[in-house]
Amino acid sequence: MSSPLKESKDDSSDSARHMREDNEYVRLVVAHEAAPAEIIVSQSEMRSKNLMWWFKALGICALTLLLTLFFAKWGVPFVFKKVLIPILRWEATAFGRPTLAIVLVVSLALFPVFLIPSGPSMWLAGMIFGYGLGFVIIMVGTTIGMVLPYLIGLMFRERLHQWLKRWPRQAAVLRLAAEGSWFHQFRVVAIFRVSPFPYTIFNYAIVVTSMRFWPYLFGSIAGMIPEAFIYIYSGRLIRTFADVQYGHQRLTTVEIVYNVISLIIAIVTTVAFTVYAKRALRELQNAEANEDEEVQVKKQTRLEMKNVVQHEDNHRRLGSSHALP
């Protein structure tokens, strides 16, 4: 005959088991039934997000097309008639070529000091002086314009260092240029000049690193050579278009083919240099990140080894203290 206490214990255990089974059943069934609903909701959200992305992309493309057509219809003629043609006539009558060359060199040297883009001066050098003398003017002016900010930045090195702390990511990229050997610094500076990185800021900010002057100078000159030729070519092309459109000149078939092929080569070269520079900078950043990870791993390993050694020393001391009578 079983006791009431034992029966109550059996009843309680059975009820607890049934409750667990019921809870498990409810959990499995609810989870099983809720999973398809969650999948449907997530799929609908993904579809709506993709739809919104396509709408935004189409809107941006339509806006860009409208702005391009507007600029081609009214902007280009305005720039040519009100800006470019008067400048060309002014330089032909107001200055002699030697004086104009000096003016362009001075502008290319001083504009980077005040963080002013020097592209218009390069275009003018290409339009007026062509590939030979125009290239010399651009390289002399931009070289002075890269040295002056560097020397001025040395006098305000501490302030620039504090200013760069606001942008740690950009500062980390700048530190890449100052690491390694002479050739490494030369190569990275040349890549910075070719890449879309704003070189007017680079001229000042590079002084906070351990960059040496001669790799900076020669790397800057090497990196500016492709940009100089692209500006000269685009300036010559703009002048040719202005002469044809507003100077009532005609191009032969050979000249048209030459200009089209040259334009394609210039675009491909610009894109190739930009892609190469971005890829090279990305590789340098990845290399620096890997080095930082290795340093962190080494530090962590040393810390763990130190903790193990301390633990073993403490264990020995405890063992020796227990062994004493």
Side-chain angles (χ1 to χ4, degrees):
M1 186 174 178
S2 60
S3 64
L5 182 61
K6 185 177 180 180
E7 289 178 356
S8 63
K9 286 182 179 180
D10 292 338
D11 292 337
S12 61
S13 62
D14 291 339
S15 62
R17 185 170 63 252
H18 286 305
M19 288 178 63
R20 285 198 300 269
E21 290 176 355
D22 292 340
N23 291 334
E24 193 72 16
Y25 172 76
V26 170
R27 186 179 64 81
L28 290 173
V29 170
V30 170
H32 181 70
E33 291 177 352
E38 292 177 357
I39 292 172
I40 293 171
V41 171
S42 63
Q43 287 179 351
S44 62
E45 288 178 356
M46 288 294 295
R47 287 174 184 171
S48 61
K49 287 180 180 178
N50 290 332
L51 212 62
M52 288 297 296
W53 185 88
W54 279 108
F55 277 128
K56 288 180 181 179
L58 289 174
I60 292 171
C61 291
L63 181 62
T64 304
L65 182 60
L66 288 175
L67 291 176
T68 303
L69 292 175
F70 178 82
F71 183 74
K73 180 68 176 177
W74 291 283
V76 172
F78 177 82
V79 170
F80 274 93
K81 289 181 179 179
K82 301 298 183 181
V83 179
L84 184 60
I85 301 299
I87 286 176
L88 293 176
R89 290 174 180 170
W90 170 73
E91 63 86 12
T93 56
F95 293 108
R97 291 175 71 85
T99 306
L100 189 60
I102 294 173
V103 170
L104 288 175
V105 169
V106 172
S107 66
L108 290 170
L110 294 181
F111 282 177
V113 176
F114 300 101
L115 303 180
I116 300 173
S118 53
S121 297
M122 296 186 194
W123 272 321
L124 283 175
M127 284 189 287
I128 297 166
F129 295 99
Y131 288 97
L133 187 57
F135 177 76
V136 174
I137 290 171
I138 289 175
M139 293 309 297
V140 171
T142 53
T143 301
I144 298 172
M146 290 181 292
V147 172
L148 287 178
Y150 183 89
L151 298 177
I152 295 171
L154 289 175
M155 296 185 290
F156 302 96
R157 191 170 184 175
E158 186 60 32
R159 291 185 181 180
L160 289 171
H161 182 71
Q162 297 297 326
W163 179 71
L164 277 177
K165 286 183 177 179
R166 302 176 184 177
W167 295 277
R169 187 175 179 182
Q170 286 76 5
V173 173
L174 286 174
R175 281 196 296 271
L176 292 173
E179 296 177 354
S181 61
W182 192 97
F183 179 75
H184 174 81
Q185 294 183 358
F186 165 84
R187 175 175 172 267
V188 175
V189 171
I191 291 171
F192 269 106
R193 296 299 182 190
V194 177
S195 68
F197 194 89
Y199 69 86
T200 52
I201 298 174
F202 177 81
N203 296 334
Y204 284 105
I206 197 64
V207 298
V208 303
T209 66
S210 56
M211 169 65 65
R212 295 188 290 273
F213 176 74
W214 294 112
Y216 166 80
L217 178 62
F218 289 114
S220 299
I221 293 172
M224 282 300 299
I225 290 174
E227 186 176 358
F229 277 112
I230 290 170
Y231 270 107
I232 292 171
Y233 169 74
S234 57
R236 300 298 295 175
L237 189 64
I238 291 171
R239 177 155 192 168
T240 301
F241 182 76
D243 292 337
V244 171
Q245 187 71 20
Y246 304 100
H248 305 291
Q249 295 184 8
R250 291 185 178 181
L251 293 177
T252 63
T253 306
V254 176
E255 289 175 337
I256 293 173
V257 172
Y258 169 77
N259 285 321
V260 170
I261 294 175
S262 300
L263 178 62
I264 294 172
I265 293 173
I267 293 172
V268 171
T269 304
T270 304
V271 173
F273 274 118
T274 304
V275 170
Y276 169 76
K278 286 184 177 180
R279 185 178 298 173
L281 285 176
R282 196 179 301 113
E283 290 176 356
L284 290 170
Q285 290 174 352
N286 292 335
E288 186 191 28
N290 292 333
E291 289 179 0
D292 292 340
E293 287 183 7
E294 291 179 359
V295 170
Q296 292 294 331
V297 169
K298 288 180 180 179
K299 287 182 178 178
Q300 186 68 24
T301 304
R302 290 175 184 172
L303 183 62
E304 290 177 356
M305 291 296 294
K306 186 177 179 181
N307 292 333
V308 170
V309 171
Q310 289 179 351
H311 180 71
E312 290 179 353
D313 290 341
N314 293 332
H315 186 69
R316 288 196 199 97
R317 290 173 184 173
L318 289 173
S320 60
S321 62
H322 286 304
L324 290 175

